[in-house]
């Protein structure tokens, strides 16, 4: 899987006025971070999460992305969604505790700091932890909060996780739903 994807637009799109006018004939996307999912969720408004995330990742205004053909939006969304496919396809019941070794360690400072993380120590959340995390807002904001609370890692570090690492942590938490099936002995 490539870390970036450039999509050639079938119709060039323009925005801005006068000296600030720009025309784009392609957009380049990359793997999002957990924080970018959260930003897109907050900015979704009338355009929706998918359009907001594509705009954020490409650096092209959301109203310009909204003018793209739907097949090209789908192509962009498929690329962005590909970073979570491994976590979703490997869904299984979760163990009580789990160390998630990050594919891409987070290094937010040059110093030795809790903001720099190479792995997350995760465990089954308590109901209290889930309630506290859900107060953070939408789905992505709540997931970031839950990972932060359970792993005892600051939210800024969790927001810097790559999509693949973020989705793996989310899949671990979702695995507790699989574990508690009717024929389970847990």
């Amino acid at each position: 899987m490539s870390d970036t994807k450039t999509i050639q637009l079938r119709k060039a799109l323009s925005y801005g006025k006068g000296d600030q006018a720009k025309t784009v004939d392609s957009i380049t996307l990359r793997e999002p971070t957990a924080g970018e999912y959260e930003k897109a969720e907050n900015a979704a408004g009338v355009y929706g999460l998918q359009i907001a995330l594509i705009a954020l990742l490409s650096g092209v205004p959301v109203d310009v992305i909204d003018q793209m053909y739907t097949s090209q939006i789908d192509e962009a969304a498929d690329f962005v969604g590909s970073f979570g496919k491994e976590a979703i396809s490997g869904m299984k019941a979760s163990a009580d505790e789990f160390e998630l070794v990050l594919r891409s360690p987070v290094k937010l400072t040059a110093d030795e700091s809790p903001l720099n993380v190479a792995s997350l120590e995760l465990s089954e959340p308590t109901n209290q932890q889930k309630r506290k995390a859900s107060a953070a807002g939408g789905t992505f904001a709540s997931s970031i909060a839950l990972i932060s609370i359970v792993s005892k890692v600051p939210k800024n570090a969790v927001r810097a996780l790559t999509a693949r690492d973020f989705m793996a942590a989310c899949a671990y938490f979702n695995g507790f739903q699989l574990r508690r099936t009717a024929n389970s002995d847990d």
Side-chain angles (χ1 to χ4, degrees):
M1 168 185 351
S2 177
D3 288 342
T4 62
K5 180 175 182 82
T6 299
I7 298 173
Q8 294 297 320
L9 303 178
R10 293 196 315 265
K11 174 181 80 171
L13 302 171
S14 299
Y15 62 97
K17 296 186 190 267
D19 293 344
Q20 303 298 326
K22 293 185 180 182
T23 300
V24 288
D25 59 1
S26 67
I27 61 168
T28 300
L29 303 167
R30 58 172 171 71
E31 181 175 6
T33 64
E36 289 168 331
Y37 284 120
E38 182 182 36
K39 282 181 188 173
E41 181 176 60
N42 291 334
V46 297
Y47 298 102
L49 177 66
Q50 207 173 52
I51 300 295
L53 186 58
I54 293 166
L56 184 65
L57 295 175
S58 67
V60 175
V62 69
D63 57 331
V64 176
I65 297 297
D66 193 44
Q67 296 175 45
M68 287 174 55
Y69 292 113
T70 56
S71 61
Q72 292 185 305
I73 295 288
D74 291 344
E75 181 182 356
D78 287 347
F79 171 75
V80 173
S82 70
F83 293 103
K85 283 187 180 173
E86 185 178 317
I88 293 168
S89 67
M91 285 295 295
K92 59 183 180 194
S94 294
D96 290 339
E97 296 176 349
F98 173 66
E99 179 185 16
L100 175 61
V101 178
L102 304 180
R103 291 174 184 258
S104 300
V106 172
K107 188 153 178 72
L108 297 181
T109 69
D111 305 329
E112 191 64 31
S113 163
L115 292 175
N116 300 326
V117 196
S119 65
L120 297 174
E121 296 295 329
L122 300 173
S123 61
E124 182 173 7
T126 65
N127 191 63
Q128 183 181 40
Q129 289 171 322
K130 286 179 74 174
R131 273 190 310 103
K132 186 174 180 182
S134 70
T139 303
F140 292 110
S142 296
S143 295
I144 288 168
L146 186 60
I147 294 166
S148 173
I149 291 166
V150 171
S151 67
K152 297 176 179 59
V153 170
K155 283 184 187 177
N156 282 345
V158 176
R159 286 184 179 107
L161 294 175
T162 63
R164 286 176 268 196
D165 290 333
F166 177 62
M167 294 298 176
C170 292
Y172 170 75
F173 289 132
N174 289 337
F176 290 106
Q177 295 169 347
L178 295 174
R179 185 174 150 188
R180 307 294 183 227
T181 59
N183 58 358
S184 172
D185 59 1
D186 288 340

